[in-house]
Amino acid sequence: MFDPGFLWGAATSSYQIEGAVAEDGRGPSIWDTFAATPGAIQGGDTGAVAADHYHRFPGDVALMAGLGLRGYRFSLAWPRIQPTGSGAVNQRGLDFYRRLTDTLLDQGIQPWPTLYHWDLPQPLEDRGGWPARDTAERFAEYAALVHEALGDRVTHWTTLNEPWCSAFLGYATGRHAPGRRDPAAAVRAAHHLLLGHGLAAEAIRGDDSHVGITLNLTHVTPVGTEPADLDAARRIDGMQNRLFLDPLLRGAYPDDVLADLREVTGFGHVHDGDLKRIGASLDHLGVNYYAPMLVAGSSTPTQSAYVGSPLVRVADGGRPRTAMGWEIDERGLLELLLRLKDDYPAVPLYITENGAAFDDVVEHDGVHDAHRVAYLDGHLRSCAQAIGHGVPLKGYFVWSLLDNFEWSFGYGPRFGIVHVDYATQHRTPKDSARWYAEVIRRGGL
Ligand code: IFM
């Protein structure tokens, strides 16, 4: 069961909700550039206005308070704070986050900032982006600036959101900004993201500062017991989970994953001492879970985000799916949490994202999103079971507070528990928001 200190929250990210991309000195990010590329985003959508949270944050915080949220996970846009990715602070950008943080604290809502949720300053990409080691150093510098400004009000820091996506969707498949298709660069990016996390953790950790990272993890199972299927599951688990968990929690890359990746690149970019820094960096771990993965061996090579693993295909588990086409299986979350407890040293865990997009219908009396309520209810039951088995799970942030810009899918998929009418910016709490408020009020299901 959930203890009284359990942190009940909701999450968002800067580029997905803020808008105001050219205001108060913000510099361009890789997502501004990518979104302006014809064909990159469905419907040609961009984050230029999004949910206009930059201007409407007081109302949005009031909404959070009305729901009884205890924590709010948001991200800071690096290009608001350092418009070129290095050098002096843009005070107006920093002030926005100071006002947001203070408004949250006034309402008794714990600010839970993430320093990087994918909006890299474009000038840093022009100098090589995450495949370049210098970007990790710049990230630590930026982290130190933010910590200096907000460290008196923020206790729990998340460095990166889902470095797997930044590295492999951004640099291998080209489906995310900056849209590069260079598997070797993606592998270097993955290491430099982890290094940037480690350096940032050194810069901000202190008596009152707890440092975490958020990973998108999944529960991987093979379709059967054929060696090819077992190998497919090992490879995908390696690329999606262990490539990040092992350096962070054991201080070493897994040998089998290094062997798989050697088909793509060497590891000269991993310097002596890097893994020591990465491995000593976590006070807590953020887990983003949406769906399990069922995989099979394949005889046809495919190019995917799982570089170094071409002979793998994702199989159909036959379960109902969300509007993203993701299979719904809350048992995958339970298995994942138990696995983290069994395979890695104990570290406090937080579900930093969990939620679902469905084709919501706005009716005269609201948005009756029963599918989302069922999804959240099932996954929270898995959380409760995991806690019962001794998993040190300390909090849960639903993704997302608001409908928002879903990256290359644009504004089509709606993940919010609060509906946003993008034409009027009117917010309507869905049934799931009311249901979640009641869960929080009761302290559980
Ligand atoms: O919207 C994203 C978020 O930015 C990162 N995690 C997954 C969510 C749903 O795709």
Side-chain angles (χ1 to χ4, degrees), residues 13 16 117-118 161-162 288 290 324 326 353 399 404 406-407 415:
S13 89
Q16 292 181 274
H117 196 127
W118 307 351
N161 179 71
E162 301 182 353
N288 289 0
Y290 288 91
M324 297 295 285
W326 300 345
E353 286 181 28
W399 183 270
N404 59 48
E406 178 55 21
W407 307 111
F415 275 89

Side-chain angles (χ1 to χ4, degrees), residues 114-354:
T114 298
L115 291 167
Y116 184 74
H117 196 127
W118 307 351
D119 35 8
L120 186 72
Q122 181 62 43
L124 288 185
E125 174 58 24
D126 298 340
R127 283 160 47 188
W130 286 108
R133 191 175 174 92
D134 181 62
T135 302
E137 311 266 354
R138 299 288 70 76
F139 179 66
E141 205 172 85
Y142 152 69
L145 291 174
V146 176
H147 179 254
E148 197 177 306
L150 302 181
D152 57 345
R153 305 142 214 240
V154 169
T155 55
H156 287 70
W157 298 87
T158 298
T159 54
L160 306 175
N161 179 71
E162 301 182 353
W164 181 87
C165 295
S166 300
F168 295 103
L169 298 182
Y171 291 95
T173 67
R175 275 177 20 221
H176 277 194
R180 280 159 68 174
R181 294 200 172 102
D182 177 351
V187 176
R188 290 198 302 280
H191 179 69
H192 295 142
L193 283 150
L194 284 169
L195 177 64
H197 156 82
L199 296 173
E202 281 173 18
I204 66 185
R205 177 176 288 124
D207 287 347
D208 291 329
S209 294
H210 305 266
V211 182
I213 190 170
T214 275
L215 303 178
N216 51 318
L217 302 175
T218 187
H219 176 61
V220 185
T221 43
V223 287
T225 52
E226 289 296 319
D229 300 332
L230 297 178
D231 189 56
R234 178 196 62 74
R235 284 171 179 264
I236 300 305
D237 177 56
M239 283 294 291
Q240 182 82 52
N241 299 324
R242 291 181 291 117
L243 178 64
F244 296 92
L245 287 169
D246 280 29
L248 287 161
L249 292 167
R250 293 181 174 159
Y253 281 116
D255 289 338
D256 64 313
V257 180
L258 289 186
D260 295 343
L261 289 176
R262 279 212 173 83
E263 291 163 25
V264 174
T265 181
F267 283 87
H269 58 280
V270 180
H271 293 189
D272 284 352
D274 286 1
L275 284 158
K276 206 161 166 215
R277 302 184 111 138
I278 296 165
S281 60
L282 283 191
D283 297 311
H284 53 87
L285 173 67
V287 176
N288 289 0
Y289 173 86
Y290 288 91
M293 275 181 87
L294 184 66
V295 297
S298 161
S299 47
T300 326
T302 45
Q303 284 239 314
S304 78
Y306 299 99
V307 305
S309 301
L311 297 178
V312 170
R313 73 180 169 82
V314 175
D316 184 349
R319 301 185 189 89
R321 292 173 184 263
T322 69
M324 297 295 285
W326 300 345
E327 289 199 40
I328 303 172
D329 184 10
E330 62 265 20
R331 278 171 312 164
L333 176 57
L334 175 60
E335 297 291 345
L336 170 63
L337 291 171
L338 293 175
R339 188 263 181 107
L340 290 173
K341 171 169 107 40
D342 291 344
D343 289 3
Y344 292 95
V347 60
L349 301 178
Y350 291 83
I351 302 298
T352 39
E353 286 181 28
N354 175 240

